[in-house]
Amino acid sequence: DCCMVGPLYWATLVDLYEAYQKWATDSGEHPETKRVFQQRLTERGYLPDRGSGNAAIRRGIGLRAAVTP
């Protein structure tokens, strides 16, 4: 529920993996390794790229901004 998909979205791999780890832990699941997580993203069509500062990003998927009251 924290992800958005579409051609204009992107997110850093670090942020995606942190969100995934939190989701897995909160769901009582054991998170995959970062390498396996990257492979799963690629299999689903979220291709690797480089953003500003040469940061690893994935295109086609983004994270909703966390809103705190």
Side-chain angles (χ1 to χ4, degrees):
D1 292 341
C2 67
C3 291
M4 304 172 296
V5 294
L8 299 179
Y9 295 113
W10 65 270
T12 66
L13 186 59
V14 169
D15 290 343
L16 287 170
Y17 189 64
E18 285 178 3
Y20 162 70
Q21 285 181 308
K22 181 179 179 343
W23 170 84
T25 302
D26 291 350
S27 299
E29 301 289 332
H30 180 74
E32 300 279 2
T33 65
K34 193 172 189 178
R35 174 177 270 189
V36 171
F37 178 72
Q38 291 179 75
Q39 290 172 341
R40 301 279 188 255
L41 288 173
T42 300
E43 289 168 1
R44 287 165 176 75
Y46 306 116
L47 301 178
D49 202 351
R50 292 287 173 178
S52 61
N54 207 31
I57 66 170
R58 290 297 173 127
R59 296 208 177 269
I61 187 170
L63 294 169
R64 296 184 194 279
V67 178
T68 54

